[in-house]
């Protein structure tokens, strides 16, 4: 599992926007499916978005579809999550990971998670 460092979180009001970044160290994202997950206090970690294949196909959870956009810059070895029209229910710690498709669901391909980056949306 590549060392992944998330950044870009912060506090915003409902309706605001943030862009999260996930930078890889020690290896490249090239050819890998990458994803974002989030975990709110007292809740299980949940899938948010993924980008995969050389043509950068994307997939989103229903709760963020139409508001969030995942993208990547292979030259910079970085994956982004553009979050628009944020809602209080988007408040969570956000994590990125190399992902795989397993039984119809996206999951972390490894066992470790980074520190994540906290997003707090006030109403």
């Amino acid at each position: 599992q590549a060392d992944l460092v998330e950044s870009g979180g912060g506090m915003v009001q409902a309706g605001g926007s943030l862009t999260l970044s996930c930078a890889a160290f020690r290896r490249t994202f090239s050819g890998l499916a990458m994803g974002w997950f989030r975990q709110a206090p007292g809740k299980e970690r949940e899938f948010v978005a993924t980008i995969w294949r050389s043509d950068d196909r994307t997939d989103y959870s229903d709760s963020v579809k139409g508001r969030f956009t995942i993208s990547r810059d292979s030259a910079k070895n970085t994956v982004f999550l553009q979050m628009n029209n944020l809602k209080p229910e988007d408040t969570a710690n956000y994590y990125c990971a190399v992902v795989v498709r397993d039984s119809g669901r996206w999951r972390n391909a490894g066992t470790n998670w980074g520190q994540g980056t906290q997003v707090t949306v006030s109403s």
Side-chain angles (χ1 to χ4, degrees):
Q1 178 82 328
D3 287 346
L4 304 172
V5 178
E6 304 93 344
S7 63
M11 298 180 63
V12 295
Q13 291 188 329
S17 298
L18 283 172
T19 299
L20 307 184
S21 298
C22 171
F25 298 89
R26 300 198 298 180
R27 68 173 297 178
T28 177
F29 285 150
S30 180
L32 299 176
M34 300 298 302
W36 285 95
F37 297 78
R38 67 186 182 187
Q39 187 169 23
K43 295 186 177 181
E44 292 189 354
R45 200 178 332 246
E46 64 175 357
F47 165 77
V48 174
T50 186
I51 186 166
W52 82 99
R53 290 181 52 151
S54 58
D55 56 356
D56 284 348
R57 296 189 182 188
T58 57
D59 191 16
Y60 300 91
S61 68
D62 288 342
S63 61
V64 307
K65 198 170 295 183
R67 300 187 298 120
F68 290 12
T69 302
I70 188 171
S71 62
R72 63 174 149 196
D73 184 335
S74 297
K76 295 182 179 179
N77 222 23
T78 302
V79 176
F80 304 97
L81 186 68
Q82 173 68 44
M83 306 185 296
N84 297 325
N85 191 22
L86 283 160
K87 303 176 180 181
E89 52 263 43
D90 295 318
T91 295
N93 204 26
Y94 284 70
Y95 304 86
C96 68
V98 177
V99 297
V100 293
R101 189 77 171 170
D102 184 4
S103 299
R105 300 178 66 180
W106 293 102
R107 66 168 178 83
N108 187 345
T111 57
N112 296 323
W113 296 94
Q115 294 294 315
T117 186
Q118 178 67 37
V119 172
T120 302
V121 185
S122 60
S123 57

